[in-house]
Amino acid sequence: EVQLVQSGAQVRKPGESLMLSCKASGYSFSSYWIGWVRQMPGKGLEWMGIVFPGDSYPGRSNTLYSPSFRGQVTISADRSISTAYLQWSSLKASHTAMYYCARYFVAGDPQGFDVWGQGTMVTVSS
Amino acid sequence: EIVLTQSPGTLSLSPGERATLSCGASQSISSRDLGWYQQKPGQAPRLLIYGASNRATGIPDRFSGSGSGTDFTLTISGLEPEDFAVYYCQHYGSSPVWTFGPGTKVEIK
C-alpha cells in the first residue's frame, strides 16, 4: 500500500526552528515528486513547493517553490530513508496551519497529487 | 503565475440533485495539467479528477470533469450524502508554479 506518514503535531514559540517529515512507503520514493501544501485554519489549500528525490540533471532544479513561500521555507528529501522534509528557521504566529505532503504521480501524463499524508498541525504561539 | 478562480463559492443543494462546479484559469492551460480534489472536514484532500476529465482510482462515476483552455467544470450527477464537502481545482505540471483555486463548498440545502 502506498502511504505517506507525517510527523505529529507541533507546538513552537515564535523565532524557533522546525522541521516536519513525510515518510513514504509502498513505492519507489526516488521516482516521484513530493509536494507540500498549507491550509491555514478555516482556509483553502495553498501549494508551497515540491521536491524530486531522484537524481538531479544539469540545468534542472529538483525543488520548485511557490513565490509566496520561496525564502520562507526549505523543502528537501533524503531518498536513503524515503523521507521528505519541510523546515523553517524562524517561525512566526502566521505559520500556524495544517501542513500536508502529497505525492505527485506521473504515468505518461501527470495525474496530480494522488496520495496524501494525514497532515501535521503546527501551532506557533508565545 | 496562473490564477485559478472557482464559482460559486458555496452551492446549496439537496441529495440527489446535480452539482456543477466551475474553475477558471487566468490564462489558457493544458487540460492534462488540471485536477480536482475533494476535502471533508478534518480530512486530507482526495484526488477526484486528473487531466481535467479522468477519474482517479476508486472515484465513483457520478463524478465527471470537462473543459479546456481557461474553463473547466466538475459535475456530480446525483449528490450522495457523503459528497457534501469542499472541492478544489488545481493547476500542476508544466508550469514551475502550481496553484489551487479558492474552493467551492457544496452544502446541504
Side-chain angles (χ1 to χ4, degrees), chain B residues 42-57:
Chain B
Q43 296 185 16
R46 177 175 70 146
L47 176 67
L48 297 176
I49 300 286
Y50 64 90
S53 61
N54 302 288
R55 275 187 299 276
T57 303

Side-chain angles (χ1 to χ4, degrees), chain B residues 52-73:
Chain B
S53 61
N54 302 288
R55 275 187 299 276
T57 303
I59 301 303
D61 60 8
R62 65 179 180 272
F63 291 93
S64 63
S66 63
S68 63
T70 59
D71 298 301
F72 298 89
T73 300

Side-chain angles (χ1 to χ4, degrees), chain A residues 71-102:
Chain A
Q72 308 304 310
V73 298
T74 301
I75 293 171
S76 60
D78 183 346
R79 61 187 182 184
S80 70
I81 55 172
S82 300
T83 301
Y85 300 97
L86 173 66
Q87 59 179 338
W88 296 260
S89 58
S90 181
L91 287 162
K92 303 175 183 177
S94 59
H95 295 148
T96 294
M98 180 71 81
Y99 293 88
Y100 295 101
C101 63

Side-chain angles (χ1 to χ4, degrees), chain B residues 19-98:
Chain B
T20 302
L21 289 65
S22 297
C23 174
S26 58
Q27 57 187 278
S28 183
I29 61 176
S30 171
S31 297
R32 55 175 259 165
D33 294 338
L34 193 285
W36 289 92
Y37 300 82
Q38 175 194 68
Q39 188 180 32
K40 298 178 182 179
Q43 296 185 16
R46 177 175 70 146
L47 176 67
L48 297 176
I49 300 286
Y50 64 90
S53 61
N54 302 288
R55 275 187 299 276
T57 303
I59 301 303
D61 60 8
R62 65 179 180 272
F63 291 93
S64 63
S66 63
S68 63
T70 59
D71 298 301
F72 298 89
T73 300
L74 174 69
T75 301
I76 311 171
S77 60
L79 284 164
E80 297 288 342
E82 62 268 27
D83 298 338
F84 292 91
V86 181
Y87 293 84
Y88 296 93
C89 58
Q90 185 199 19
H91 173 243
Y92 49 75
S94 52
S95 165
V97 179
W98 303 0

Side-chain angles (χ1 to χ4, degrees), chain A residues 26-73:
Chain A
Y27 73 97
S28 174
F29 180 69
S30 299
S31 299
Y32 302 98
W33 295 75
I34 293 280
W36 287 93
V37 176
R38 182 175 80 173
Q39 188 166 39
M40 299 179 76
K43 302 298 184 184
L45 305 175
E46 300 174 89
W47 179 77
M48 302 177 70
I50 196 163
V51 60
F52 185 69
D55 293 333
S56 59
Y57 294 91
R60 189 188 86 171
S61 173
N62 275 27
T63 312
L64 301 174
Y65 290 94
S66 162
S68 300
F69 293 94
R70 187 177 295 120
Q72 308 304 310
V73 298

